[in-house]
Amino acid sequence: DAGVTQTPRHEVAEKGQTIILKCEPVSGHNDLFWYRQTKIQGLELLSYFRSKSLMEDGGAFKDRFKAEMLNSSFSTLKIQPTEPKDSAVYLCASSQTGDERLFFGHGTKLSVL
Amino acid sequence: GDQVEQSPSALSLHEGTGSALRCNFTTTMRAVQWFRKNSRGSLINLFYLASGTKENGRLKSAFDSKERYSTLHIRDAQLEDSGTYFCAAEASGSWQLIFGSGTQLTVMP
């Protein structure tokens, strides 16, 4: 399967811990997005990379959320320190520059106790 | 293989006309959601359906779990409807949302 791969599928953390979520985009895609799924609004954008450069850092999520893209085929989202309100599904998606369609990973379900 | 197939990938409409987007599922899904990508890149929820149809303004969505598809109808399209629309389905017994790859809608004067 050459789609977007996210690991782990589930993550359980205690308040105050550091967790790192991982994403491998579709091979050849230049754009990578991190989203957090909320029941009320849908998917809030956390970070957006184009050709490994951070284009959007999600404003409200700056202080404890940090996304990195060390190479074109791997990205991480670090949450430090975690809080119970961070419990959510985190989704990674990639696309080809100029194409508005997104290819999503299956997501990571984070539970912070 | 892909569990959610969204079509068309791109759609052009003239103002005042309408059309439908469709998502087919390879397996039984318990619910479907439709989203629109906003200017900031976030995906805003348009509809959540576990069955039947829902309507909101010029948008109407239908979901048939048994026949494994969902549709999003747009009528009387306006220029501001241009954007990218996504469907996402919840498989039975799973918390995961499985996304279609999106439809780029362009509404022309």
Side-chain angles (χ1 to χ4, degrees):
Chain A
D1 190 329
V4 175
T5 303
Q6 284 187 252
T7 54
R9 286 288 184 97
H10 295 88
E11 179 76 63
V12 179
E14 292 194 356
K15 179 181 174 181
Q17 279 188 295
T18 297
I19 63 103
I20 297 176
L21 310 182
K22 305 176 184 73
C23 174
E24 296 173 38
V26 173
S27 178
H29 280 186
N30 300 324
D31 293 352
L32 186 140
F33 303 79
W34 282 100
Y35 290 95
R36 181 170 77 175
Q37 185 181 357
T38 64
K39 286 201 180 273
I40 297 174
Q41 291 211 339
L43 275 73
E44 297 172 288
L45 181 67
L46 300 175
S47 294
Y48 160 42
F49 292 88
R50 169 160 291 175
S51 300
K52 299 186 295 179
S53 296
L54 183 64
M55 307 297 289
E56 171 68 53
D57 63 4
F61 298 96
K62 273 185 189 176
D63 57 345
R64 295 181 299 107
F65 290 71
K66 183 174 183 180
E68 290 185 309
M69 198 159 185
L70 300 178
N71 60 60
S72 60
S73 58
F74 185 71
S75 176
T76 58
L77 176 66
K78 181 193 287 186
I79 307 175
Q80 178 183 37
T82 52
E83 297 182 5
K85 65 181 179 181
D86 299 332
S87 298
V89 174
Y90 291 81
L91 285 151
C92 177
S94 70
S95 70
Q96 194 63 265
T97 299
D99 187 345
E100 288 293 310
R101 295 177 304 156
L102 294 171
F103 293 80
F104 282 84
H106 286 178
T108 295
K109 186 172 185 179
L110 172 64
S111 299
V112 182
L113 309 175
Chain B
D2 292 344
Q3 297 183 59
V4 177
E5 189 177 298
Q6 185 171 345
S7 62
S9 57
L11 178 64
S12 293
L13 294 175
H14 286 287
E15 267 187 298
T17 65
S19 188
L21 285 56
R22 185 178 177 103
C23 283
N24 291 325
F25 313 122
T26 58
T27 187
T28 301
M29 303 295 182
R30 67 177 175 199
V32 68
Q33 299 185 51
W34 284 91
F35 298 90
R36 179 180 170 176
K37 193 174 171 186
N38 71 7
S39 58
R40 296 210 59 205
S42 293
L43 297 183
I44 306 303
N45 191 284
L46 299 174
F47 292 103
Y48 178 93
L49 296 98
S51 66
T53 63
K54 284 188 179 179
E55 194 164 353
N56 185 0
R58 294 177 292 100
L59 297 179
K60 181 178 179 180
S61 183
F63 173 49
D64 190 324
S65 176
K66 186 178 176 184
E67 297 299 322
R68 300 183 180 179
Y69 77 90
S70 178
T71 55
L72 177 69
H73 291 260
I74 300 173
R75 63 176 174 82
D76 187 24
Q78 303 297 305
L79 296 176
E80 59 264 29
D81 295 331
S82 294
T84 308
Y85 294 78
F86 295 86
C87 69
E90 296 173 17
S92 299
S94 171
W95 54 265
Q96 292 174 326
L97 274 184
I98 305 164
F99 281 80
S101 53
T103 298
Q104 283 182 255
L105 173 64
T106 304
V107 181
M108 303 172 291

